[in-house]
Amino acid sequence: MRITQGAYSFLPDLTDDQIRKQIAYCLDKGWAVSIEFTDDPHPRNTYWEMWGNPMFDLVDPVGVMGDLAACRAANPDHYIRLNAFDSSRGWEAVRLSFIVQRPKVEPTFRLERTEIEGRTQRYTLVTVR
């Protein structure tokens, strides 16, 4: 089962050329691009580790692709995603976020239901490896 977070997550993995074109689109819009990685893709884990700083004022996707290659080399069995931020209105807003690398074996999640007092039920997400 594949983790489905961000844009394109229901599609086959993007090639490097497709990733470069998405980065070029973001840069053409004036959005800052950042790279994040994690080994815990739990839906509640919204804060992944940043790889460097967000890349402001870039005009060529080569810089982002270079950082992506370095992040992939340092984290070969982690999830890696690209985020594009729009600050044109004076605050940062995520305009695009998508996974660009997945580990060879992806964890899956199961929902466990526990009945407590009366009709009350508690739901817990459990990682299954």
Side-chain angles (χ1 to χ4, degrees), residues 109-115 121-128:
F109 298 98
R110 180 179 74 241
L111 190 64
E112 285 188 355
R113 182 178 75 182
T114 306
E115 294 184 19
Q121 298 175 0
R122 176 177 296 138
Y123 292 92
T124 308
L125 278 175
V126 178
T127 303
V128 180

Short mmCIF file of all heavy atoms in Angstrom, two decimals, residues 109-115 121-128:
data_model
loop_
_atom_site.label_atom_id
_atom_site.label_comp_id
_atom_site.label_asym_id
_atom_site.label_seq_id
_atom_site.Cartn_x
_atom_site.Cartn_y
_atom_site.Cartn_z
N PHE A 109 -0.91 1.55 7.52
CA PHE A 109 -1.59 1.93 8.75
C PHE A 109 -2.91 1.18 8.86
O PHE A 109 -3.57 0.90 7.86
CB PHE A 109 -1.85 3.44 8.77
CG PHE A 109 -0.58 4.24 8.75
CD1 PHE A 109 -0.11 4.77 7.56
CD2 PHE A 109 0.14 4.46 9.90
CE1 PHE A 109 1.06 5.50 7.52
CE2 PHE A 109 1.31 5.18 9.88
CZ PHE A 109 1.77 5.70 8.68
N ARG A 110 -3.25 0.85 10.10
CA ARG A 110 -4.51 0.18 10.36
C ARG A 110 -5.24 0.98 11.44
O ARG A 110 -4.61 1.51 12.36
CB ARG A 110 -4.23 -1.25 10.84
CG ARG A 110 -5.47 -2.05 11.14
CD ARG A 110 -5.14 -3.47 11.58
NE ARG A 110 -4.62 -3.46 12.94
CZ ARG A 110 -3.41 -3.87 13.30
NH1 ARG A 110 -2.57 -4.34 12.40
NH2 ARG A 110 -3.02 -3.83 14.55
N LEU A 111 -6.55 1.06 11.34
CA LEU A 111 -7.36 1.77 12.33
C LEU A 111 -7.89 0.75 13.33
O LEU A 111 -8.56 -0.21 12.94
CB LEU A 111 -8.52 2.49 11.64
CG LEU A 111 -9.33 3.45 12.47
CD1 LEU A 111 -8.47 4.61 12.94
CD2 LEU A 111 -10.51 3.97 11.68
N GLU A 112 -7.56 0.93 14.61
CA GLU A 112 -8.05 0.04 15.66
C GLU A 112 -9.13 0.75 16.46
O GLU A 112 -8.95 1.90 16.86
CB GLU A 112 -6.92 -0.38 16.59
CG GLU A 112 -6.01 -1.41 16.01
CD GLU A 112 -5.01 -1.94 17.03
OE1 GLU A 112 -4.97 -1.45 18.19
OE2 GLU A 112 -4.25 -2.85 16.68
N ARG A 113 -10.23 0.05 16.69
CA ARG A 113 -11.34 0.61 17.46
C ARG A 113 -11.40 -0.06 18.82
O ARG A 113 -11.38 -1.28 18.93
CB ARG A 113 -12.66 0.41 16.72
CG ARG A 113 -13.84 1.02 17.45
CD ARG A 113 -15.08 0.85 16.68
NE ARG A 113 -15.51 -0.54 16.80
CZ ARG A 113 -16.58 -1.03 16.19
NH1 ARG A 113 -17.28 -0.30 15.38
NH2 ARG A 113 -16.91 -2.30 16.36
N THR A 114 -11.49 0.75 19.87
CA THR A 114 -11.62 0.26 21.24
C THR A 114 -12.91 0.82 21.82
O THR A 114 -13.12 2.04 21.78
CB THR A 114 -10.42 0.71 22.11
OG1 THR A 114 -9.22 0.32 21.46
CG2 THR A 114 -10.50 0.10 23.48
N GLU A 115 -13.75 -0.07 22.33
CA GLU A 115 -14.98 0.39 22.96
C GLU A 115 -14.71 0.65 24.43
O GLU A 115 -14.16 -0.18 25.13
CB GLU A 115 -16.08 -0.65 22.77
CG GLU A 115 -16.47 -0.80 21.31
CD GLU A 115 -17.63 -1.75 21.11
OE1 GLU A 115 -18.37 -2.01 22.07
OE2 GLU A 115 -17.78 -2.22 19.98
N GLN A 121 -16.40 5.15 21.70
CA GLN A 121 -15.37 4.38 21.00
C GLN A 121 -14.14 5.25 20.78
O GLN A 121 -14.26 6.44 20.52
CB GLN A 121 -15.89 3.88 19.67
CG GLN A 121 -17.07 2.96 19.83
CD GLN A 121 -17.69 2.55 18.52
OE1 GLN A 121 -17.21 2.96 17.46
NE2 GLN A 121 -18.72 1.75 18.56
N ARG A 122 -12.98 4.63 20.90
CA ARG A 122 -11.74 5.34 20.66
C ARG A 122 -11.06 4.69 19.45
O ARG A 122 -10.98 3.47 19.36
CB ARG A 122 -10.83 5.22 21.87
CG ARG A 122 -9.47 5.88 21.64
CD ARG A 122 -8.59 5.82 22.89
NE ARG A 122 -9.23 6.60 23.94
CZ ARG A 122 -9.29 6.21 25.21
NH1 ARG A 122 -8.74 5.08 25.59
NH2 ARG A 122 -9.87 6.97 26.12
N TYR A 123 -10.59 5.53 18.53
CA TYR A 123 -9.92 5.04 17.34
C TYR A 123 -8.44 5.40 17.41
O TYR A 123 -8.09 6.52 17.78
CB TYR A 123 -10.54 5.65 16.08
CG TYR A 123 -11.95 5.17 15.83
CD1 TYR A 123 -13.04 5.86 16.33
CD2 TYR A 123 -12.17 4.00 15.12
CE1 TYR A 123 -14.32 5.41 16.10
CE2 TYR A 123 -13.45 3.54 14.90
CZ TYR A 123 -14.53 4.24 15.40
OH TYR A 123 -15.79 3.78 15.17
N THR A 124 -7.59 4.46 17.04
CA THR A 124 -6.15 4.65 17.07
C THR A 124 -5.55 4.17 15.76
O THR A 124 -5.88 3.09 15.28
CB THR A 124 -5.53 3.84 18.24
OG1 THR A 124 -6.21 4.17 19.44
CG2 THR A 124 -4.05 4.15 18.37
N LEU A 125 -4.67 4.98 15.18
CA LEU A 125 -3.93 4.55 13.99
C LEU A 125 -2.71 3.78 14.44
O LEU A 125 -1.93 4.23 15.26
CB LEU A 125 -3.49 5.76 13.18
CG LEU A 125 -4.50 6.37 12.24
CD1 LEU A 125 -3.95 7.63 11.60
CD2 LEU A 125 -4.91 5.39 11.16
N VAL A 126 -2.52 2.59 13.86
CA VAL A 126 -1.41 1.74 14.22
C VAL A 126 -0.57 1.50 12.97
O VAL A 126 -1.12 1.17 11.91
CB VAL A 126 -1.91 0.38 14.79
CG1 VAL A 126 -0.76 -0.54 15.11
CG2 VAL A 126 -2.78 0.62 16.00
N THR A 127 0.74 1.66 13.08
CA THR A 127 1.63 1.39 11.96
C THR A 127 1.90 -0.10 11.88
O THR A 127 2.25 -0.72 12.87
CB THR A 127 2.96 2.14 12.14
OG1 THR A 127 2.69 3.53 12.28
CG2 THR A 127 3.87 1.91 10.95
N VAL A 128 1.74 -0.65 10.68
CA VAL A 128 2.00 -2.07 10.42
C VAL A 128 3.17 -2.13 9.46
O VAL A 128 3.10 -1.59 8.36
CB VAL A 128 0.77 -2.77 9.82
CG1 VAL A 128 1.06 -4.23 9.56
CG2 VAL A 128 -0.44 -2.58 10.71
#
